[in-house]
Amino acid sequence: MHPPVCIVIPTYNEAANVEGIVRAAVAELERLVPDAHRVLIVDDNSPDGTGAIADRLAESLAQVEVLHRAAKTGLGHAYLAGFERALSGDAELVIEMDADFSHDPRYLEALLDAAQDADLVLGSRYVAGGGVEDWGIVRRLISRGGCLYARTILGVGVHDLTGGFKCIHRRVLETIQLETIRAEGYVFQIEVTYRALLAGFKVTEVPIVFRDRSVGSSKMSARIAAEAMWAVPFLRRRDAAAMAGRNATEAVIGARDDG
Ligand SMILES: Nc1nc2c(ncn2[C@@H]2O[C@H](COP(=O)(O)OP(=O)(O)OP(=O)(O)O)[C@@H](O)[C@H]2O)c(=O)[nH]1
Ligand SMILES: [Mg+2]
């Protein structure tokens, strides 16, 4: 048995994907966590009508909910809003998943199983059994090199730091000072995992094979990748400070409680 789960799916111009991915996720969750699951779509006013399709899904499927945001302000913001909504409900596990079928819902089972013994579970392309399909050599090199670079600079053992298919225990989200995360895109993903590690949580990777989106347009560019690499060295200090602040506050509260 798994505790209550909420899958957060951010969407921007995913009209061709949103219904399929939500139905596939719901089918898996009905099998794995029959009485305690939600799917939260976070749409940033997509011009292609994704939000309206999501609303129709929410009308027909009781476990589906839509969070409409007025404008596209980036994936990090969308996730933060989604986490807040998920935590305001009864979710003990929050799952991040893309809408474009790159993250196959069949891996939800492995993520949930691993979450029984870990605080944060990463769907990982870069451990044995994982991989990517359909990417050209350039994108493979950028992604692989970026993960190696971030892993080295941050001094952590995680292989896939930039992936966005993960299962996070409530206690992690309540600890890592979400309100001070400013990063977007890949750096947001790195930062969530890095802060969890700094806070002493157990992070596990389970293999996934990542498929390139077959429909819809890519938002990935060389500029986004370069920006991410530029930002990583700053995380060391920024996240260490954020987590140290938390520890200091807890120490003070603890001392008060003791006294
Ligand atoms: N709400 C919201 N969703 C976003 C935003 N940017 C991306 N997304 C969604 O986040 C998920 C991941 O984005 P993708 O564009 O697939 O990014 P990627 O996987 O790195 O690159 P491609 O698949 O090549 O486009 C998808 O479900 C997108 O629709 C955003 O600014 N707001
Ligand atoms: Mg994608």
Side-chain angles (χ1 to χ4, degrees):
M1 270 301 284
H2 299 292
V5 177
C6 179
I7 302 193
V8 180
I9 304 181
T11 55
Y12 191 75
N13 285 348
E14 301 287 2
N17 290 316
V18 67
E19 175 159 6
I21 195 72
V22 168
R23 288 193 185 279
V26 164
E28 277 301 280
L29 290 176
E30 275 180 343
R31 187 170 70 80
L32 299 166
V33 205
D35 302 319
H37 63 267
R38 317 263 316 144
V39 175
L40 174 64
I41 302 160
V42 184
D43 186 67
D44 283 3
N45 204 6
S46 299
D48 73 349
T50 301
I53 299 171
D55 282 337
R56 283 203 297 279
L57 276 165
E59 274 166 29
S60 63
L61 298 166
Q63 61 271 75
V64 176
E65 188 182 342
V66 190
L67 176 59
H68 293 281
R69 291 170 13 100
K72 174 172 165 57
T73 55
L75 189 56
H77 282 100
Y79 264 125
L80 292 177
F83 291 162
E84 193 181 338
R85 174 68 66 88
L87 295 179
S88 73
D90 68 348
E92 280 301 321
L93 297 172
V94 177
I95 294 181
E96 292 184 8
M97 192 169 98
D98 288 356
D100 58 4
F101 283 96
S102 288
H103 298 154
D104 192 326
R106 78 185 153 103
Y107 295 120
L108 289 170
E109 182 164 13
L111 288 178
L112 289 170
D113 285 347
Q116 291 177 351
D117 188 40
D119 303 299
L120 169 60
V121 183
L122 309 176
S124 179
R125 297 161 291 182
Y126 304 130
V127 293
V132 285
E133 272 176 11
D134 316 319
W135 273 4
I137 184 78
V138 173
R139 191 152 180 194
R140 270 174 206 268
L141 282 175
I142 290 176
S143 173
R144 194 68 202 249
C147 282
L148 267 173
Y149 168 82
R151 174 181 149 106
T152 309
I153 297 277
L154 298 176
V156 299
V158 169
H159 298 84
D160 192 344
L161 277 162
T162 57
F165 196 12
K166 42 180 77 160
C167 179
I168 318 167
H169 272 270
R170 165 185 286 269
R171 54 183 174 268
V172 175
L173 294 174
E174 288 175 343
T175 302
I176 61 170
Q177 310 273 302
L178 290 171
E179 62 284 359
T180 64
I181 296 188
R182 297 274 174 273
E184 294 297 335
Y186 298 111
V187 182
F188 177 82
Q189 301 299 354
I190 296 172
E191 202 158 18
V192 167
T193 298
Y194 185 47
R195 286 190 179 200
L197 288 165
L198 287 175
F201 286 112
K202 180 174 177 189
V203 178
T204 310
E205 294 181 271
V206 299
I208 61 156
V209 175
F210 178 102
R211 259 181 296 147
D212 201 5
R213 63 162 67 244
S214 51
V215 233
S217 61
S218 173
K219 286 131 211 151
M220 160 77 183
S221 68
R223 190 182 61 82
I224 293 174
E227 252 173 34
M229 293 307 98
W230 179 81
V232 168
F234 292 95
L235 296 185
R236 267 193 91 110
R237 280 186 42 197
R238 188 168 85 200
D239 290 341
M243 292 297 99
R246 173 190 72 90
N247 293 337
T249 314
E250 278 177 2
V252 171
I253 293 166
R256 278 204 206 109
D257 287 347
D258 289 347

